[in-house]
Amino acid sequence: MKKDSLLIIGNALAFQLLWFAAVLGGSGWAWSVLAPMVLIQCLAGGHWRRDGRMLLIGGGLCLALEPLWLASSLLVYQQWHSQWLAPPWIWALWLGFAVSFHYSLYWLQGRPWLAALIGAIGGVVSVTAGLRLGAAVTPQGWLPFAMVYGGAWALAVPFMAWVAGRQDHREEHYA
């Protein structure tokens, strides 16, 4: 599938804006960036079903993985007390990231080892930046958290790339 350069660039920029809006502004800002990001992608690309599936994958991964570090107190989000559910701005990040696998992260499809490496390193770098900006703390120390977090993202990113790749392959095959 030939990717539309404008959608790829737009998604990359929108996700960076989403990250800053979420980490610095919280839930209201995060969702005010995520909603138009997804809407514009769906309208411009015409793939609302495919994008919707990736949103479900992102939500499922958020629901499955966030409790790993929350319940174990490896990570504590500021002004958030649930040990099982992530704050809404984290959900927005998961959803925005997942839908990006059809746009700015499509190049990870079919490259599981690269996706794992990018997931492990990128995940830890991203969360470390968020920690430095005061969005969360690591009560048990950064290293134990980074090991668990990097490992989880080393699995999550190849999985999302694989799901997106299967969806793209089906579209090409049945188009």
Side-chain angles (χ1 to χ4, degrees):
M1 175 191 307
K2 186 176 187 294
K3 298 293 179 178
D4 182 359
S5 299
L6 191 56
L7 276 174
I8 292 169
I9 293 167
N11 172 264
L13 294 173
F15 186 75
Q16 294 310 305
L17 179 60
L18 173 62
W19 189 91
F20 282 106
V23 172
L24 297 175
S27 299
W29 286 102
W31 289 93
S32 68
V33 172
L34 178 65
M37 172 184 158
V38 172
L39 182 63
I40 290 168
Q41 288 171 179
C42 288
L43 293 174
H47 300 289
W48 60 272
R49 283 188 183 141
R50 179 190 72 179
D51 290 346
R53 284 187 214 110
M54 289 309 294
L55 292 170
L56 290 174
I57 294 292
L61 286 170
C62 181
L63 194 60
L65 294 176
E66 287 292 326
L68 290 177
W69 34 89
L70 291 174
S72 63
S73 295
L74 284 169
L75 181 72
V76 175
Y77 294 111
Q78 295 296 344
Q79 302 176 355
W80 189 256
H81 303 292
S82 175
Q83 290 185 318
W84 299 103
L85 290 175
W89 62 272
I90 290 293
W91 282 84
L93 286 173
W94 274 99
L95 298 175
F97 187 70
V99 80
S100 295
F101 281 86
H102 285 299
Y103 303 99
S104 60
L105 297 176
Y106 81 94
W107 55 275
L108 289 173
Q109 295 176 16
R111 297 181 173 111
W113 295 110
L114 179 60
L117 181 65
I118 296 291
I121 294 170
V124 171
V125 168
S126 177
V127 77
T128 300
L131 291 167
R132 299 231 187 262
L133 290 171
V137 294
T138 54
Q140 298 180 35
W142 178 84
L143 186 58
F145 169 71
M147 292 174 63
V148 171
Y149 199 80
W153 279 96
L155 298 173
V157 171
F159 175 69
M160 286 188 272
W162 176 77
V163 170
R166 286 187 49 100
Q167 290 176 347
D168 284 353
H169 177 71
R170 281 190 195 137
E171 275 187 17
E172 288 175 355
H173 184 69
Y174 294 110

